[in-house]
Amino acid sequence: MTTDTDPRNFIKALSLPVVRPFISWEKVIKSEQFLSSIQYYDDHFDRHRDTGPFERLLALLDDTKYRDLLANYLRVRHSVQVSRENGKVKVSVLKSASVVANTHKEMTFAKFSSDSKPAYKDRVSKIRNSEKNNFKKNYVDALDHPARLPGSFGHGRRK
């Protein structure tokens, strides 16, 4: 039985191809309906150990920057493994229950996202800075370098 207040209807409406181009994902993630949907899926997972709703939600967020945020939340909150197999997002339950997950059972997505925003931005800036530092300058081989002394052995160009 589904009603208008059912969180599943909200996620189904977001997944419609006609609606997706007009969505502001930042507003959706911060909305009360999305947070209640996450809470509903958390409770569903705790009762049934069903990862299907999480897979559909991650697939919905696949082209956005919020997919990794939700995947990290699921790893911390439920101690599941999130991976990609054959182009699809796969959420699998780890065989051994983690003690860390038991300590984070009361954590909500809103609290997790507000706590992890600065860390996420720092990580992204570190990645971007490391990409800039790893940029190789134009490499010139020592044999082809213009500062060779004329008349020395091998003063000509490579053959």
Side-chain angles (χ1 to χ4, degrees):
M1 177 179 157
T2 60
T3 63
D4 290 336
T5 60
D6 191 2
R8 293 177 289 184
N9 290 340
F10 177 69
I11 300 302
K12 285 180 186 176
L14 289 177
S15 62
L16 292 173
V18 177
V19 176
R20 282 185 63 92
F22 303 105
I23 295 176
S24 169
W25 289 106
E26 182 178 357
K27 291 181 180 180
V28 169
I29 295 295
K30 293 179 182 178
S31 71
E32 190 65 36
Q33 292 87 0
F34 187 80
L35 297 176
S36 66
S37 298
I38 295 290
Q39 184 61 42
Y40 177 80
Y41 290 152
D42 285 341
D43 294 339
H44 178 78
F45 179 80
D46 290 339
R47 283 192 308 271
H48 305 289
R49 306 294 282 180
D50 180 20
T51 60
F54 291 141
E55 290 176 355
R56 288 188 291 277
L57 195 56
L58 286 168
L60 178 68
L61 297 173
D62 199 19
D63 297 334
T64 67
K65 63 182 180 180
Y66 299 105
R67 180 197 62 207
D68 293 335
L69 179 69
L70 181 62
N72 289 336
Y73 168 73
L74 295 176
R75 287 182 188 114
V76 170
R77 171 75 158 67
H78 299 292
S79 74
V80 296
Q81 180 180 2
V82 180
S83 60
R84 181 176 292 279
E85 294 177 6
N86 298 330
K88 292 184 179 181
V89 177
K90 178 78 173 147
V91 179
S92 54
V93 180
L94 297 176
K95 299 233 185 233
S96 61
S98 174
V99 176
V100 175
N102 292 333
T103 61
H104 296 300
K105 283 291 183 193
E106 299 303 319
M107 179 182 291
T108 62
F109 182 72
K111 184 177 183 323
F112 182 82
S113 63
S114 66
D115 288 347
S116 63
K117 280 183 183 175
Y120 177 74
K121 287 182 181 177
D122 290 341
R123 188 182 71 189
V124 169
S125 66
K126 286 180 185 176
I127 290 171
R128 288 184 182 153
N129 289 338
S130 68
E131 288 174 357
K132 290 178 185 175
N133 293 341
N134 290 338
F135 180 75
K136 292 185 177 181
K137 296 182 179 178
N138 292 336
Y139 177 74
V140 178
D141 193 310
L143 293 175
D144 295 332
H145 197 273
R148 285 179 318 206
L149 296 173
S152 63
F153 177 76
H155 70 282
R157 303 284 298 175
R158 282 191 190 182
K159 295 181 181 184

